[in-house]
Amino acid sequence: MIKCLSAQGIISSTLEKELNWLREQRNNIHLRRVSLQENDREYDKYSFQEYNRARDAVNNLNDVLLKYFYNQI
């Protein structure tokens, strides 16, 4: 879908890069039983910078899609 959106010119190459990074992050998440030990919690595995980068990518995609589809109506 990322390639399709990029090929149609709906998303920029910068957003394509960010979405591919986010997809790679998602692909590395594995379901597992998490213990109650502090050092084993999932939120410790990602930095605030990575969280903010992921949030920004999703927000940017949402903005682009809304703008694109509202212009198609």
Side-chain angles (χ1 to χ4, degrees):
M1 291 305 300
I2 296 169
K3 287 181 185 178
C4 180
L5 291 171
S6 180
Q8 292 185 27
I10 297 172
I11 62 172
S12 67
S13 60
T14 302
L15 183 52
E16 177 184 12
K17 178 184 170 189
E18 288 301 290
L19 293 172
N20 280 319
W21 170 82
L22 183 56
R23 182 181 49 80
E24 286 296 320
Q25 298 304 307
R26 185 216 53 216
N27 288 346
N28 290 325
I29 295 172
H30 300 285
L31 296 176
R32 62 181 174 83
R33 185 174 179 181
V34 177
S35 78
L36 296 178
Q37 294 176 2
E38 184 69 28
N39 63 354
D40 207 22
R41 293 187 181 162
E42 184 69 20
Y43 63 75
D44 288 334
K45 304 211 184 294
Y46 304 99
S47 69
F48 280 115
Q49 182 181 12
E50 290 169 316
Y51 165 79
N52 289 332
R53 184 177 176 185
R55 183 205 58 216
D56 290 346
V58 171
N59 285 340
N60 288 336
L61 176 62
N62 185 60
D63 292 346
V64 166
L65 292 177
L66 285 173
K67 187 176 190 178
Y68 177 80
F69 287 108
Y70 277 121
N71 287 332
Q72 298 301 313
I73 297 175

